[in-house]
Amino acid sequence: MQYADLLIEQHGKVAVIRLNRPKAMNALNDNMMNELGDALHKFDADPAVNVIVLTGSEKVFAAGADIAAMANYTYAVDTYPGNYIGRNWEHILNIRKPVIGVVSGYCLGGGCELAMMCDFLIAADSAKFGQPEIKVGVTPGAGGTQRLPRAIGKAKAMDLLLTTRMIDAAEAERTGLVSRVYPAESVMEEALKVAQGIADMPVSVAMQIKDCVNQAYQMPLTEAVRYERRYFHAGFGTPAQKEGMSAFLEKRQPNFEGL
Ligand code: DAK
């Protein structure tokens, strides 16, 4: 897979998508978001891939939407009728396999919004998160005012959104925005170990867990638990359950290959 604004690697069952517009701090533009949607959907459909990692460079995950590209956009043509953001930024939300975001350096504005659409985030100790859109005269447009308060609480989210303050990796971990922090030199290696561990689990169950957790954001608790229970019951009709429980009872490692 060859793209102008992405680099692609594959490590066993883990596909790595790297945002790659180094001259523009990986600012997100239409072409990159179209390519990202294409790559994500291809890996989601590829039986040789169980987990997707989305990352940037050592210096920057993404410094936001491309300000140069959107500076002259108008409401009448580009944003509302053109469905800016909605038309191609949210493919990631339809991906059924786990997507891990790995963040080094700046992760700002639309970049932070994209990162928050991943299933979970692993950060380098160099990571800096922020929503500085107010400084360029707009509200966040890809979920920043919605996902950030859910991730880190209203007080911290308001602080970041209104003041443009950036938080470092330690504060991001403390507040629950990221799940783990590693030294910048080893973050990719460690993230790949995490991804490989998930890739060795039954992919169908990983997809179901992801679906349940994501549903919990949209549903009342009792409905969400009922939703989970359906998957749990159905699990007893799958080879993954038979293999997992047999392996435990036989005191061996499970082999979920192809499950
Ligand atoms: N867009 C375009 N180019 C960018 C960019 C961006 N977001 N961020 C950096 N660049 C470019 C710089 O212009 C510079 O280009 P040259 O001058 O070399 O040609 C190059 O990348 C290197 O940047 P710097 O020279 O600034 O590098 P520094 O290390 O000094 O600073 C920085 C790094 C990340 C702190 C700084 O570049 C920065 O503050 N960048 C802007 C961060 C920002 O404001 N992000 C939020 C963008 S606004 C909506 C839809 C979408 C959005 C909102 C609403 N609706 C539909 C309603 C989303 C908005 C945003 O994301």
Side-chain angles (χ1 to χ4, degrees):
M1 286 154 80
Q2 291 285 324
Y3 295 107
D5 295 328
L6 304 176
L7 298 173
I8 303 293
E9 298 159 28
Q10 207 160 328
H11 302 260
K13 291 189 168 178
V14 179
V16 178
I17 303 174
R18 204 178 272 282
L19 305 174
N20 184 45
R21 294 188 69 214
K23 288 187 184 142
M25 287 271 170
N26 287 347
L28 308 168
N29 66 5
D30 256 342
N31 185 63
M32 185 191 265
M33 299 318 280
N34 287 333
E35 290 186 351
L36 180 59
D38 185 75
L40 285 166
H41 283 296
K42 282 186 175 145
F43 286 134
D44 207 32
D46 183 347
V49 170
N50 282 6
V51 176
I52 301 167
V53 168
L54 177 62
T55 191
S57 67
E58 280 175 24
K59 191 172 174 193
V60 61
F61 179 81
D66 188 332
I67 298 169
M70 67 180 164
N72 293 321
Y73 279 4
T74 62
Y75 176 81
V77 175
D78 306 287
T79 60
Y80 186 68
N83 194 18
Y84 180 45
I85 302 295
R87 69 174 172 253
N88 57 3
W89 277 50
E90 291 168 330
H91 290 294
I92 190 169
L93 299 176
N94 295 319
I95 300 305
R96 299 170 77 215
K97 292 173 182 168
V99 181
I100 305 173
V102 179
V103 176
S104 300
Y106 294 110
C107 184
L108 303 177
C112 189
E113 292 172 308
L114 178 65
M116 289 190 290
M117 293 182 209
C118 296
D119 295 315
F120 67 97
L121 295 177
I122 294 176
D125 53 9
S126 62
K128 289 190 180 68
F129 299 86
Q131 298 285 165
E133 284 91 339
I134 193 169
K135 205 156 60 185
V136 291
V138 288
T139 62
T145 63
Q146 306 305 309
R147 291 195 180 89
L148 194 63
R150 283 171 169 79
I152 70 175
K154 181 183 166 191
K156 288 270 184 193
M158 283 286 195
D159 179 353
L160 268 60
L161 288 156
L162 294 174
T163 69
T164 78
R165 178 169 82 86
M166 292 184 208
I167 57 172
D168 63 13
E171 190 169 355
E173 186 183 26
R174 204 162 63 239
T175 52
L177 183 59
V178 310
S179 69
R180 309 182 188 206
V181 179
Y182 292 106
E185 316 78 69
S186 58
V187 68
M188 223 22 224
E189 191 187 326
E190 296 296 340
L192 283 173
K193 282 188 214 158
V194 174
Q196 289 289 358
I198 299 170
D200 289 339
M201 302 293 168
V203 67
S204 55
V205 183
M207 289 159 84
Q208 291 168 357
I209 289 171
K210 166 172 174 160
D211 186 35
C212 285
V213 173
N214 287 334
Q215 285 299 328
Y217 278 101
Q218 337 263 2
M219 278 183 179
L221 181 62
T222 48
E223 285 305 306
V225 173
R226 279 163 60 89
Y227 192 88
E228 177 198 74
R229 191 71 37 83
R230 294 292 166 265
Y231 277 134
F232 176 70
H233 287 162
F236 286 80
T238 66
Q241 177 267 334
K242 299 291 175 266
E243 169 61 11
M245 294 195 183
S246 304
F248 176 81
L249 294 173
E250 291 160 16
K251 301 190 187 304
R252 62 175 173 82
Q253 286 301 312
N255 177 2
F256 292 121
E257 190 64 38
L259 304 183

